[in-house]
mmCIF file of all heavy atoms in Angstrom:
data_model
loop_
_atom_site.group_PDB
_atom_site.id
_atom_site.type_symbol
_atom_site.label_atom_id
_atom_site.label_comp_id
_atom_site.label_asym_id
_atom_site.label_seq_id
_atom_site.Cartn_x
_atom_site.Cartn_y
_atom_site.Cartn_z
ATOM 1 N N LEU A 1 -15.209 14.226 -11.999
ATOM 2 C CA LEU A 1 -15.664 13.047 -11.207
ATOM 3 C C LEU A 1 -15.157 13.125 -9.804
ATOM 4 O O LEU A 1 -14.011 13.490 -9.544
ATOM 5 C CB LEU A 1 -15.124 11.731 -11.927
ATOM 6 C CG LEU A 1 -15.520 11.599 -13.353
ATOM 7 C CD1 LEU A 1 -14.769 10.385 -14.050
ATOM 8 C CD2 LEU A 1 -17.066 11.301 -13.482
ATOM 9 N N THR A 2 -16.049 12.844 -8.877
ATOM 10 C CA THR A 2 -15.750 13.109 -7.434
ATOM 11 C C THR A 2 -16.244 11.936 -6.548
ATOM 12 O O THR A 2 -17.099 11.188 -6.992
ATOM 13 C CB THR A 2 -16.499 14.377 -6.943
ATOM 14 O OG1 THR A 2 -17.842 14.265 -7.144
ATOM 15 C CG2 THR A 2 -15.958 15.636 -7.706
ATOM 16 N N LEU A 3 -15.677 11.892 -5.362
ATOM 17 C CA LEU A 3 -16.193 10.994 -4.284
ATOM 18 C C LEU A 3 -16.514 11.779 -3.115
ATOM 19 O O LEU A 3 -15.749 12.629 -2.659
ATOM 20 C CB LEU A 3 -15.069 9.917 -3.980
ATOM 21 C CG LEU A 3 -15.444 8.991 -2.842
ATOM 22 C CD1 LEU A 3 -16.380 7.895 -3.415
ATOM 23 C CD2 LEU A 3 -14.138 8.348 -2.284
ATOM 24 N N ASN A 4 -17.678 11.600 -2.543
ATOM 25 C CA ASN A 4 -18.098 12.394 -1.367
ATOM 26 C C ASN A 4 -18.301 11.428 -0.209
ATOM 27 O O ASN A 4 -19.004 10.310 -0.333
ATOM 28 C CB ASN A 4 -19.469 13.132 -1.583
ATOM 29 C CG ASN A 4 -19.840 13.875 -0.496
ATOM 30 O OD1 ASN A 4 -19.159 14.841 0.032
ATOM 31 N ND2 ASN A 4 -21.076 13.623 0.086
ATOM 32 N N VAL A 5 -17.768 11.723 0.921
ATOM 33 C CA VAL A 5 -18.090 10.990 2.152
ATOM 34 C C VAL A 5 -19.292 11.796 2.778
ATOM 35 O O VAL A 5 -19.205 12.860 3.366
ATOM 36 C CB VAL A 5 -16.936 10.993 3.175
ATOM 37 C CG1 VAL A 5 -17.282 10.235 4.452
ATOM 38 C CG2 VAL A 5 -15.757 10.381 2.503
ATOM 39 N N GLY A 6 -20.528 11.135 2.680
ATOM 40 C CA GLY A 6 -21.701 11.915 2.966
ATOM 41 C C GLY A 6 -22.256 11.554 4.398
ATOM 42 O O GLY A 6 -22.852 12.460 5.023
ATOM 43 N N THR A 7 -22.002 10.411 4.889
ATOM 44 C CA THR A 7 -22.462 10.020 6.281
ATOM 45 C C THR A 7 -21.445 9.209 7.018
ATOM 46 O O THR A 7 -20.660 8.442 6.367
ATOM 47 C CB THR A 7 -23.811 9.231 6.199
ATOM 48 O OG1 THR A 7 -23.594 7.941 5.646
ATOM 49 C CG2 THR A 7 -25.001 10.087 5.527
ATOM 50 N N ILE A 8 -21.384 9.192 8.369
ATOM 51 C CA ILE A 8 -20.543 8.421 9.118
ATOM 52 C C ILE A 8 -21.278 8.228 10.510
ATOM 53 O O ILE A 8 -21.850 9.195 10.980
ATOM 54 C CB ILE A 8 -19.164 8.972 9.283
ATOM 55 C CG1 ILE A 8 -18.217 7.985 9.953
ATOM 56 C CG2 ILE A 8 -19.229 10.336 10.003
ATOM 57 C CD1 ILE A 8 -16.773 8.268 9.920
ATOM 58 N N ALA A 9 -21.308 6.968 10.946
ATOM 59 C CA ALA A 9 -21.954 6.620 12.201
ATOM 60 C C ALA A 9 -21.080 5.510 12.871
ATOM 61 O O ALA A 9 -20.877 4.511 12.303
ATOM 62 C CB ALA A 9 -23.435 6.094 11.981
ATOM 63 N N GLY A 10 -20.755 5.862 14.105
ATOM 64 C CA GLY A 10 -20.007 4.823 14.873
ATOM 65 C C GLY A 10 -19.903 5.228 16.316
ATOM 66 O O GLY A 10 -19.772 6.374 16.681
ATOM 67 N N GLY A 11 -19.901 4.237 17.175
ATOM 68 C CA GLY A 11 -19.641 4.493 18.655
ATOM 69 C C GLY A 11 -20.978 4.941 19.364
ATOM 70 O O GLY A 11 -21.918 5.419 18.724
ATOM 71 N N ASP A 12 -20.926 4.684 20.734
ATOM 72 C CA ASP A 12 -22.120 5.147 21.482
ATOM 73 C C ASP A 12 -21.692 5.716 22.789
ATOM 74 O O ASP A 12 -22.616 6.068 23.596
ATOM 75 C CB ASP A 12 -22.980 3.851 21.741
ATOM 76 C CG ASP A 12 -22.240 2.771 22.467
ATOM 77 O OD1 ASP A 12 -21.050 2.940 22.822
ATOM 78 O OD2 ASP A 12 -22.845 1.754 22.687
ATOM 79 N N TRP A 13 -20.387 5.908 23.088
ATOM 80 C CA TRP A 13 -19.961 6.400 24.333
ATOM 81 C C TRP A 13 -18.509 6.866 24.289
ATOM 82 O O TRP A 13 -17.668 6.110 23.733
ATOM 83 C CB TRP A 13 -20.146 5.320 25.442
ATOM 84 C CG TRP A 13 -20.016 5.821 26.873
ATOM 85 C CD1 TRP A 13 -18.985 5.601 27.672
ATOM 86 C CD2 TRP A 13 -20.991 6.576 27.577
ATOM 87 N NE1 TRP A 13 -19.225 6.200 28.898
ATOM 88 C CE2 TRP A 13 -20.461 6.741 28.885
ATOM 89 C CE3 TRP A 13 -22.260 7.125 27.300
ATOM 90 C CZ2 TRP A 13 -21.108 7.548 29.927
ATOM 91 C CZ3 TRP A 13 -22.925 7.848 28.247
ATOM 92 C CH2 TRP A 13 -22.349 7.973 29.534
ATOM 93 N N PRO A 14 -18.194 8.022 24.722
ATOM 94 C CA PRO A 14 -16.735 8.384 24.620
ATOM 95 C C PRO A 14 -15.704 7.536 25.272
ATOM 96 O O PRO A 14 -14.589 7.414 24.848
ATOM 97 C CB PRO A 14 -16.716 9.853 25.283
ATOM 98 C CG PRO A 14 -18.014 10.352 25.155
ATOM 99 C CD PRO A 14 -18.975 9.133 25.292
ATOM 100 N N SER A 15 -16.128 6.766 26.245
ATOM 101 C CA SER A 15 -15.207 5.897 27.021
ATOM 102 C C SER A 15 -15.326 4.362 26.598
ATOM 103 O O SER A 15 -14.751 3.566 27.107
ATOM 104 C CB SER A 15 -15.412 5.959 28.494
ATOM 105 O OG SER A 15 -14.943 7.208 28.983
ATOM 106 N N ASN A 16 -16.106 4.177 25.463
ATOM 107 C CA ASN A 16 -16.119 2.793 24.875
ATOM 108 C C ASN A 16 -15.382 2.859 23.524
ATOM 109 O O ASN A 16 -15.380 3.791 22.773
ATOM 110 C CB ASN A 16 -17.639 2.452 24.602
ATOM 111 C CG ASN A 16 -18.335 2.065 25.790
ATOM 112 O OD1 ASN A 16 -17.858 1.981 26.854
ATOM 113 N ND2 ASN A 16 -19.717 1.976 25.698
ATOM 114 N N VAL A 17 -14.755 1.681 23.285
ATOM 115 C CA VAL A 17 -14.154 1.590 21.970
ATOM 116 C C VAL A 17 -15.229 1.213 20.905
ATOM 117 O O VAL A 17 -16.009 0.301 21.115
ATOM 118 C CB VAL A 17 -13.072 0.446 21.942
ATOM 119 C CG1 VAL A 17 -12.619 0.172 20.515
ATOM 120 C CG2 VAL A 17 -11.983 0.729 22.901
ATOM 121 N N PRO A 18 -15.442 2.007 19.840
ATOM 122 C CA PRO A 18 -16.471 1.720 18.926
ATOM 123 C C PRO A 18 -16.148 0.440 18.156
ATOM 124 O O PRO A 18 -15.140 0.310 17.604
ATOM 125 C CB PRO A 18 -16.488 2.914 17.922
ATOM 126 C CG PRO A 18 -15.191 3.619 18.181
ATOM 127 C CD PRO A 18 -14.743 3.310 19.567
ATOM 128 N N LEU A 19 -17.123 -0.440 18.096
ATOM 129 C CA LEU A 19 -17.014 -1.724 17.536
ATOM 130 C C LEU A 19 -17.557 -1.846 16.109
ATOM 131 O O LEU A 19 -17.316 -2.770 15.417
ATOM 132 C CB LEU A 19 -17.648 -2.842 18.376
ATOM 133 C CG LEU A 19 -17.120 -2.960 19.721
ATOM 134 C CD1 LEU A 19 -17.887 -4.067 20.472
ATOM 135 C CD2 LEU A 19 -15.659 -3.267 19.737
ATOM 136 N N GLU A 20 -18.161 -0.743 15.661
ATOM 137 C CA GLU A 20 -18.726 -0.689 14.325
ATOM 138 C C GLU A 20 -18.801 0.765 13.848
ATOM 139 O O GLU A 20 -19.089 1.610 14.606
ATOM 140 C CB GLU A 20 -20.206 -1.294 14.270
ATOM 141 C CG GLU A 20 -20.624 -1.452 12.764
ATOM 142 C CD GLU A 20 -21.867 -2.317 12.757
ATOM 143 O OE1 GLU A 20 -22.950 -1.762 12.886
ATOM 144 O OE2 GLU A 20 -21.778 -3.599 12.541
ATOM 145 N N CYS A 21 -18.489 0.901 12.551
ATOM 146 C CA CYS A 21 -18.520 2.257 11.953
ATOM 147 C C CYS A 21 -19.022 2.083 10.528
ATOM 148 O O CYS A 21 -18.537 1.202 9.768
ATOM 149 C CB CYS A 21 -17.156 2.937 11.951
ATOM 150 S SG CYS A 21 -17.307 4.610 11.308
ATOM 151 N N LYS A 22 -20.090 2.830 10.164
ATOM 152 C CA LYS A 22 -20.696 2.792 8.853
ATOM 153 C C LYS A 22 -20.446 4.118 8.225
ATOM 154 O O LYS A 22 -20.713 5.190 8.755
ATOM 155 C CB LYS A 22 -22.146 2.429 8.935
ATOM 156 C CG LYS A 22 -22.474 1.070 9.467
ATOM 157 C CD LYS A 22 -23.990 0.839 9.408
ATOM 158 C CE LYS A 22 -24.341 -0.590 9.837
ATOM 159 N NZ LYS A 22 -25.805 -0.847 9.775
ATOM 160 N N VAL A 23 -19.963 4.006 6.987
ATOM 161 C CA VAL A 23 -19.730 5.233 6.166
ATOM 162 C C VAL A 23 -20.403 5.191 4.866
ATOM 163 O O VAL A 23 -20.297 4.162 4.139
ATOM 164 C CB VAL A 23 -18.168 5.427 5.937
ATOM 165 C CG1 VAL A 23 -17.877 6.843 5.211
ATOM 166 C CG2 VAL A 23 -17.303 5.249 7.175
ATOM 167 N N GLY A 24 -21.188 6.257 4.544
ATOM 168 C CA GLY A 24 -21.921 6.359 3.280
ATOM 169 C C GLY A 24 -21.175 7.249 2.320
ATOM 170 O O GLY A 24 -20.687 8.332 2.584
ATOM 171 N N PHE A 25 -21.121 6.712 1.096
ATOM 172 C CA PHE A 25 -20.304 7.426 -0.009
ATOM 173 C C PHE A 25 -21.324 7.687 -1.190
ATOM 174 O O PHE A 25 -22.162 6.900 -1.442
ATOM 175 C CB PHE A 25 -19.188 6.556 -0.554
ATOM 176 C CG PHE A 25 -18.101 6.301 0.571
ATOM 177 C CD1 PHE A 25 -18.228 5.155 1.378
ATOM 178 C CD2 PHE A 25 -16.936 7.107 0.557
ATOM 179 C CE1 PHE A 25 -17.275 4.947 2.324
ATOM 180 C CE2 PHE A 25 -15.995 6.851 1.484
ATOM 181 C CZ PHE A 25 -16.088 5.735 2.371
ATOM 182 N N ARG A 26 -20.890 8.669 -1.948
ATOM 183 C CA ARG A 26 -21.464 8.947 -3.221
ATOM 184 C C ARG A 26 -20.333 9.165 -4.278
ATOM 185 O O ARG A 26 -19.446 9.992 -3.968
ATOM 186 C CB ARG A 26 -22.378 10.215 -3.239
ATOM 187 C CG ARG A 26 -22.979 10.581 -4.522
ATOM 188 C CD ARG A 26 -22.193 11.665 -5.163
ATOM 189 N NE ARG A 26 -22.879 12.338 -6.265
ATOM 190 C CZ ARG A 26 -22.255 13.092 -7.282
ATOM 191 N NH1 ARG A 26 -20.996 13.183 -7.294
ATOM 192 N NH2 ARG A 26 -22.994 13.709 -8.184
ATOM 193 N N MET A 27 -20.319 8.361 -5.277
ATOM 194 C CA MET A 27 -19.266 8.597 -6.302
ATOM 195 C C MET A 27 -19.847 8.686 -7.697
ATOM 196 O O MET A 27 -20.752 7.973 -8.056
ATOM 197 C CB MET A 27 -18.304 7.341 -6.323
ATOM 198 C CG MET A 27 -17.110 7.598 -7.119
ATOM 199 S SD MET A 27 -16.028 6.074 -7.288
ATOM 200 C CE MET A 27 -16.752 5.228 -8.577
ATOM 201 N N SER A 28 -19.268 9.712 -8.474
ATOM 202 C CA SER A 28 -19.718 9.874 -9.853
ATOM 203 C C SER A 28 -18.735 9.101 -10.694
ATOM 204 O O SER A 28 -17.594 8.830 -10.398
ATOM 205 C CB SER A 28 -19.737 11.288 -10.231
ATOM 206 O OG SER A 28 -18.579 12.004 -9.947
ATOM 207 N N PHE A 29 -19.201 8.686 -11.823
ATOM 208 C CA PHE A 29 -18.389 7.894 -12.769
ATOM 209 C C PHE A 29 -18.668 8.213 -14.263
ATOM 210 O O PHE A 29 -19.655 8.941 -14.496
ATOM 211 C CB PHE A 29 -18.637 6.462 -12.564
ATOM 212 C CG PHE A 29 -20.005 5.845 -12.737
ATOM 213 C CD1 PHE A 29 -20.525 5.529 -13.922
ATOM 214 C CD2 PHE A 29 -20.869 5.834 -11.551
ATOM 215 C CE1 PHE A 29 -21.781 4.988 -14.079
ATOM 216 C CE2 PHE A 29 -22.163 5.310 -11.709
ATOM 217 C CZ PHE A 29 -22.676 4.893 -12.985
ATOM 218 N N PRO A 30 -17.905 7.849 -15.218
ATOM 219 C CA PRO A 30 -17.986 8.315 -16.548
ATOM 220 C C PRO A 30 -19.414 8.094 -17.249
ATOM 221 O O PRO A 30 -20.013 7.071 -16.946
ATOM 222 C CB PRO A 30 -16.901 7.592 -17.287
ATOM 223 C CG PRO A 30 -15.832 7.279 -16.266
ATOM 224 C CD PRO A 30 -16.635 6.988 -14.977
ATOM 225 N N VAL A 31 -19.736 9.058 -18.172
ATOM 226 C CA VAL A 31 -21.054 8.951 -18.847
ATOM 227 C C VAL A 31 -21.210 7.634 -19.522
ATOM 228 O O VAL A 31 -22.393 7.117 -19.506
ATOM 229 C CB VAL A 31 -21.122 10.128 -19.830
ATOM 230 C CG1 VAL A 31 -22.387 10.125 -20.639
ATOM 231 C CG2 VAL A 31 -20.981 11.532 -19.129
ATOM 232 N N ASP A 32 -20.133 7.139 -20.082
ATOM 233 C CA ASP A 32 -20.348 5.852 -20.942
ATOM 234 C C ASP A 32 -20.161 4.506 -20.163
ATOM 235 O O ASP A 32 -20.140 3.550 -20.778
ATOM 236 C CB ASP A 32 -19.517 5.927 -22.164
ATOM 237 C CG ASP A 32 -18.016 6.143 -21.810
ATOM 238 O OD1 ASP A 32 -17.685 6.327 -20.590
ATOM 239 O OD2 ASP A 32 -17.138 6.034 -22.648
ATOM 240 N N TRP A 33 -19.952 4.682 -18.889
ATOM 241 C CA TRP A 33 -19.822 3.490 -18.063
ATOM 242 C C TRP A 33 -21.250 2.950 -17.595
ATOM 243 O O TRP A 33 -22.263 3.736 -17.520
ATOM 244 C CB TRP A 33 -19.115 3.739 -16.816
ATOM 245 C CG TRP A 33 -17.605 3.684 -16.917
ATOM 246 C CD1 TRP A 33 -16.810 3.996 -18.051
ATOM 247 C CD2 TRP A 33 -16.664 3.354 -15.882
ATOM 248 N NE1 TRP A 33 -15.504 3.896 -17.720
ATOM 249 C CE2 TRP A 33 -15.366 3.501 -16.374
ATOM 250 C CE3 TRP A 33 -16.748 3.036 -14.585
ATOM 251 C CZ2 TRP A 33 -14.211 3.258 -15.742
ATOM 252 C CZ3 TRP A 33 -15.620 2.755 -13.838
ATOM 253 C CH2 TRP A 33 -14.370 2.931 -14.370
ATOM 254 N N THR A 34 -21.261 1.671 -17.285
ATOM 255 C CA THR A 34 -22.470 1.085 -16.632
ATOM 256 C C THR A 34 -22.168 1.256 -15.166
ATOM 257 O O THR A 34 -21.091 1.380 -14.637
ATOM 258 C CB THR A 34 -22.701 -0.388 -16.919
ATOM 259 O OG1 THR A 34 -21.558 -1.141 -16.487
ATOM 260 C CG2 THR A 34 -22.862 -0.548 -18.481
ATOM 261 N N ALA A 35 -23.305 1.110 -14.354
ATOM 262 C CA ALA A 35 -23.202 1.067 -12.921
ATOM 263 C C ALA A 35 -22.333 -0.121 -12.499
ATOM 264 O O ALA A 35 -21.572 -0.049 -11.504
ATOM 265 C CB ALA A 35 -24.575 1.189 -12.239
ATOM 266 N N ALA A 36 -22.524 -1.276 -13.173
ATOM 267 C CA ALA A 36 -21.790 -2.413 -12.737
ATOM 268 C C ALA A 36 -20.232 -2.159 -12.935
ATOM 269 O O ALA A 36 -19.470 -2.735 -12.042
ATOM 270 C CB ALA A 36 -22.218 -3.608 -13.631
ATOM 271 N N GLN A 37 -19.784 -1.464 -13.941
ATOM 272 C CA GLN A 37 -18.379 -1.142 -14.090
ATOM 273 C C GLN A 37 -17.840 -0.312 -12.824
ATOM 274 O O GLN A 37 -16.751 -0.573 -12.371
ATOM 275 C CB GLN A 37 -18.168 -0.336 -15.421
ATOM 276 C CG GLN A 37 -18.143 -1.180 -16.601
ATOM 277 C CD GLN A 37 -17.975 -0.277 -17.824
ATOM 278 O OE1 GLN A 37 -18.956 0.332 -18.357
ATOM 279 N NE2 GLN A 37 -16.781 -0.226 -18.331
ATOM 280 N N ALA A 38 -18.624 0.626 -12.433
ATOM 281 C CA ALA A 38 -18.331 1.439 -11.323
ATOM 282 C C ALA A 38 -18.232 0.604 -10.055
ATOM 283 O O ALA A 38 -17.307 0.720 -9.190
ATOM 284 C CB ALA A 38 -19.168 2.604 -11.145
ATOM 285 N N GLN A 39 -19.192 -0.242 -9.899
ATOM 286 C CA GLN A 39 -19.256 -1.149 -8.729
ATOM 287 C C GLN A 39 -18.045 -2.042 -8.618
ATOM 288 O O GLN A 39 -17.447 -2.296 -7.577
ATOM 289 C CB GLN A 39 -20.577 -1.939 -8.723
ATOM 290 C CG GLN A 39 -21.828 -1.113 -8.371
ATOM 291 C CD GLN A 39 -23.127 -1.950 -8.527
ATOM 292 O OE1 GLN A 39 -23.243 -2.693 -9.575
ATOM 293 N NE2 GLN A 39 -23.940 -1.877 -7.566
ATOM 294 N N GLU A 40 -17.680 -2.546 -9.823
ATOM 295 C CA GLU A 40 -16.443 -3.396 -9.897
ATOM 296 C C GLU A 40 -15.189 -2.651 -9.443
ATOM 297 O O GLU A 40 -14.337 -3.194 -8.788
ATOM 298 C CB GLU A 40 -16.329 -4.019 -11.261
ATOM 299 C CG GLU A 40 -15.160 -4.931 -11.413
ATOM 300 C CD GLU A 40 -14.993 -5.415 -12.830
ATOM 301 O OE1 GLU A 40 -15.783 -5.083 -13.707
ATOM 302 O OE2 GLU A 40 -14.032 -6.165 -13.118
ATOM 303 N N LEU A 41 -15.098 -1.426 -9.948
ATOM 304 C CA LEU A 41 -13.918 -0.547 -9.471
ATOM 305 C C LEU A 41 -13.916 -0.433 -7.998
ATOM 306 O O LEU A 41 -12.748 -0.601 -7.414
ATOM 307 C CB LEU A 41 -13.996 0.734 -10.228
ATOM 308 C CG LEU A 41 -12.908 1.727 -9.893
ATOM 309 C CD1 LEU A 41 -11.591 1.299 -10.453
ATOM 310 C CD2 LEU A 41 -13.246 3.114 -10.444
ATOM 311 N N ILE A 42 -14.986 -0.092 -7.413
ATOM 312 C CA ILE A 42 -15.070 0.194 -5.973
ATOM 313 C C ILE A 42 -14.761 -1.105 -5.160
ATOM 314 O O ILE A 42 -13.953 -1.117 -4.182
ATOM 315 C CB ILE A 42 -16.426 0.743 -5.519
ATOM 316 C CG1 ILE A 42 -16.564 2.155 -6.153
ATOM 317 C CG2 ILE A 42 -16.559 0.739 -4.126
ATOM 318 C CD1 ILE A 42 -18.067 2.644 -6.179
ATOM 319 N N THR A 43 -15.285 -2.234 -5.640
ATOM 320 C CA THR A 43 -15.118 -3.475 -4.990
ATOM 321 C C THR A 43 -13.659 -3.895 -4.998
ATOM 322 O O THR A 43 -13.009 -4.289 -4.002
ATOM 323 C CB THR A 43 -15.943 -4.571 -5.586
ATOM 324 O OG1 THR A 43 -17.262 -4.170 -5.561
ATOM 325 C CG2 THR A 43 -15.750 -5.951 -4.914
ATOM 326 N N ARG A 44 -12.949 -3.687 -6.172
ATOM 327 C CA ARG A 44 -11.557 -4.021 -6.236
ATOM 328 C C ARG A 44 -10.732 -3.136 -5.260
ATOM 329 O O ARG A 44 -9.769 -3.644 -4.644
ATOM 330 C CB ARG A 44 -11.057 -3.823 -7.727
ATOM 331 C CG ARG A 44 -11.474 -4.843 -8.677
ATOM 332 C CD ARG A 44 -10.639 -4.886 -9.942
ATOM 333 N NE ARG A 44 -10.325 -3.526 -10.488
ATOM 334 C CZ ARG A 44 -10.996 -2.940 -11.464
ATOM 335 N NH1 ARG A 44 -12.065 -3.610 -11.923
ATOM 336 N NH2 ARG A 44 -10.775 -1.709 -11.895
ATOM 337 N N ARG A 45 -11.008 -1.820 -5.283
ATOM 338 C CA ARG A 45 -10.246 -1.002 -4.478
ATOM 339 C C ARG A 45 -10.375 -1.350 -2.964
ATOM 340 O O ARG A 45 -9.481 -1.396 -2.162
ATOM 341 C CB ARG A 45 -10.668 0.496 -4.681
ATOM 342 C CG ARG A 45 -10.012 1.516 -3.710
ATOM 343 C CD ARG A 45 -8.502 1.504 -3.841
ATOM 344 N NE ARG A 45 -8.071 1.961 -5.169
ATOM 345 C CZ ARG A 45 -7.867 3.315 -5.394
ATOM 346 N NH1 ARG A 45 -8.058 4.183 -4.573
ATOM 347 N NH2 ARG A 45 -7.523 3.570 -6.695
ATOM 348 N N LEU A 46 -11.686 -1.649 -2.545
ATOM 349 C CA LEU A 46 -11.874 -1.983 -1.102
ATOM 350 C C LEU A 46 -11.184 -3.343 -0.811
ATOM 351 O O LEU A 46 -10.630 -3.449 0.347
ATOM 352 C CB LEU A 46 -13.431 -2.088 -0.871
ATOM 353 C CG LEU A 46 -13.797 -2.138 0.592
ATOM 354 C CD1 LEU A 46 -13.344 -1.033 1.360
ATOM 355 C CD2 LEU A 46 -15.302 -2.313 0.745
ATOM 356 N N ASP A 47 -11.248 -4.276 -1.725
ATOM 357 C CA ASP A 47 -10.445 -5.506 -1.546
ATOM 358 C C ASP A 47 -9.013 -5.273 -1.374
ATOM 359 O O ASP A 47 -8.403 -5.873 -0.483
ATOM 360 C CB ASP A 47 -10.736 -6.513 -2.648
ATOM 361 C CG ASP A 47 -12.118 -7.152 -2.682
ATOM 362 O OD1 ASP A 47 -12.831 -6.976 -1.681
ATOM 363 O OD2 ASP A 47 -12.568 -7.659 -3.756
#
């Protein structure tokens, strides 16, 4: 089971402080889990 950081986007100028950054992830989870279980795990960790 793995977590991949697949995309990242933020900032528009080297001399500006970036005000937003978006990161795209891909995570695998156990065969017998539902997607909702995996979503709950991620939400709890981010909180």
Side-chain angles (χ1 to χ4, degrees):
L1 302 171
T2 60
L3 177 78
N4 183 61
V5 182
T7 63
I8 187 165
D12 59 1
W13 191 255
S15 290
N16 288 349
V17 174
L19 297 182
E20 189 171 86
C21 183
K22 294 183 178 182
V23 186
F25 297 86
R26 176 266 196 200
M27 191 184 84
S28 50
F29 59 88
V31 174
D32 55 354
W33 277 30
T34 65
Q37 284 177 276
Q39 288 174 313
E40 182 182 355
L41 176 70
I42 292 164
T43 301
R44 285 201 314 266
R45 175 61 65 87
L46 191 60
D47 287 346

